[in-house]
Amino acid sequence: MNDFAGQSIVAAFVVFARVGGCLMLMPGFSSDRFPVQVRLFIAIALSLAVTPLVYDAVVKLVADGQPVTLLRVMVLEMMTGVTIGVMGRVFFVALETIGMAVSMSIGLSQNIGAPIDEDQPLPALTTLLTLGATALLFFTDLHLEILKAIAASYRMLPPGAGFSTQFALAQVSDKTAQAFMIALRLGSPFLIFSIVVNLAIGLTNRLVPAVQIFFISQPFLLLGGLLLLYFSIKPMLSMFIEAFGQFLVSG
């Protein structure tokens, strides 16, 4: 009985290494707005739920009872979890990046707002996009898909399979390219709008060099950008959260 209890505790710690590493970086759960105790309890609860599913495989890895073996297995599992978390995180990093680009394209980059999901203050528009995406993640129950994806990762990457650096880098680079391509699609109307408006401003300035065209055109740039944002923010967030959901379901 004592051996079984000890093996169960060790197996739970090994599972916690992957689950904790993933939730440490996964959007939503990794936010500083969540108290540390809440994030810890979520990771512990998920680890205890997954442990019976992979108990036999984990116990075989640490059957010799050597601390070095246990440490090696936990490090490999943590690296696997961190890789999964990074693949989810890059989607929100891409959204934040395109939010910065959109803010600059419509002249709102100077309006720095309070940090919501990041440590650094961001433009108000970027904060609005990231906060809206984070809220939709929970409103659409995608946080449950995150928990399912972590549990499903043990089927594709079972304990003891090792950690392939080349495979991890390939997966992260593919998801990064996919995330930034989606972000570029979301921000393309604003980028096109910025190019057209700035080209028109430049031509007007060449035709009437004596007029301070920058100060005259800035209100029109802001008005046009805000109108474009009004009509496009809903489909932007819908497309983003749909793409993020497809990543969670299909991997």
Side-chain angles (χ1 to χ4, degrees):
M1 184 65 180
N2 291 333
D3 291 341
F4 176 76
Q7 290 176 350
S8 299
I9 293 173
V10 170
F13 269 104
V14 172
V15 174
F16 178 79
R18 179 183 293 197
V19 173
C22 181
L23 294 183
M24 181 175 61
L25 295 172
M26 187 63 71
F29 293 104
S30 62
S31 174
D32 291 337
R33 310 284 83 74
F34 273 93
V36 177
Q37 294 86 347
V38 174
R39 286 183 280 170
L40 178 61
F41 289 151
I42 292 174
I44 292 175
L46 183 58
S47 301
L48 294 178
V50 173
T51 299
L53 304 177
V54 296
Y55 176 80
D56 294 335
V58 173
V59 168
K60 290 180 182 178
L61 298 176
V62 295
D64 57 1
Q66 296 296 323
V68 176
T69 303
L70 176 60
L71 179 62
R72 175 180 174 275
V73 172
M74 290 188 67
V75 169
L76 292 177
E77 286 296 294
M78 184 177 65
M79 293 175 66
T80 302
V82 168
T83 302
I84 298 172
V86 168
M87 287 192 293
R89 190 69 185 174
V90 294
F91 281 85
F92 278 72
V93 172
L95 180 64
E96 182 181 315
T97 303
I98 200 63
M100 295 285 292
V102 169
S103 299
M104 289 187 292
S105 66
I106 62 176
L108 289 176
S109 59
Q110 300 301 321
N111 299 322
I112 303 299
I116 299 296
D117 197 41
E118 301 292 340
D119 297 331
Q120 299 294 330
L122 298 170
L125 177 56
T126 307
T127 302
L128 176 64
L129 291 175
T130 55
L131 178 60
T134 304
L136 282 176
L137 187 149
F138 290 98
F139 291 158
T140 57
D141 291 335
L142 284 183
H143 62 290
L144 300 179
E145 293 295 335
I146 292 176
L147 303 183
K148 292 179 183 178
I150 297 174
S153 68
Y154 284 94
R155 293 198 298 268
M156 300 187 63
L157 300 170
F163 180 80
S164 174
T165 306
Q166 183 178 2
F167 175 76
L169 289 176
Q171 290 294 315
V172 171
S173 62
D174 289 344
K175 297 306 176 185
T176 301
Q178 178 184 350
F180 276 89
M181 185 60 66
I182 293 170
L184 185 59
R185 289 173 56 194
L186 298 180
S188 58
F190 296 91
L191 301 180
I192 295 173
F193 169 78
S194 176
I195 293 173
V196 172
V197 170
N198 282 281
L199 180 61
I201 292 172
L203 290 175
T204 305
N205 191 37
R206 293 291 294 178
L207 295 173
V208 192
V211 178
Q212 297 294 329
I213 195 64
F214 173 80
F215 299 101
I216 297 175
S217 62
Q218 194 66 18
F220 295 97
L221 178 64
L222 288 171
L223 179 61
L226 291 176
L227 285 175
L228 184 59
L229 178 66
Y230 175 79
F231 290 107
S232 62
I233 188 169
K234 182 177 179 179
M236 283 176 64
L237 292 177
S238 298
M239 290 175 59
F240 174 80
I241 210 68
E242 181 181 354
F244 186 68
Q246 290 178 355
F247 156 72
L248 294 176
V249 173
S250 61

